[in-house]
């Protein structure tokens, strides 16, 4: 179905438009707010490719950002395409 991060991001933006939504927040946590979650709930990893245990993505029609804390500043640059997502520090840049 969708194999690249770019395809997934475009599909998500299409869904946002269909639903008349401005943005979506995709946390790493599952519905139980667990840090270590089952593979089928790895929404953040599915969309971005990021495998860290803490992070959040925010996607709008024209921008996308991934927020991670200091533990993951190097990892996020290796796993998440910077042409698709801005990198933000979760604690220092919460908005």
């Amino acid at each position: 179905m969708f194999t690249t991060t770019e395809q997934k991001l475009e599909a998500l933006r299409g869904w946002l438009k269909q639903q008349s939504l401005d943005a979506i927040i995709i946390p790493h946590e599952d519905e139980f707010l667990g840090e270590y979650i089952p593979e089928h709930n790895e929404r953040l990893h599915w969309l971005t490719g990021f495998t860290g245990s803490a992070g959040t993505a925010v996607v709008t029609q024209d921008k996308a950002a991934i927020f991670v804390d200091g533990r993951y500043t190097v990892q996020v640059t290796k796993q998440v395409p910077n042409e698709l997502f801005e990198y933000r520090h979760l604690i220092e840049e919460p908005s």
Side-chain angles (χ1 to χ4, degrees), residues 2-67:
F2 306 112
T3 57
T4 68
T5 301
E6 186 173 14
Q7 290 172 333
K8 294 171 186 178
L9 189 57
E10 288 306 312
L12 182 57
R13 286 183 168 141
W15 180 83
L16 285 173
K17 191 171 188 171
Q18 288 175 340
Q19 302 301 314
S20 299
L21 296 172
D22 295 325
I24 188 167
I25 299 170
I26 302 167
H28 174 267
E29 296 81 10
D30 64 5
E31 64 270 24
F32 304 109
L33 301 178
E35 183 177 356
Y36 302 101
I37 58 177
E39 186 177 336
H40 66 273
N41 283 344
E42 289 278 1
R43 298 168 190 95
L44 186 62
H45 176 248
W46 176 83
L47 178 64
T48 66
F50 179 67
T51 60
S53 64
T56 300
V58 178
V59 177
T60 68
Q61 285 297 328
D62 58 346
K63 291 187 178 183
I66 184 165
F67 293 79

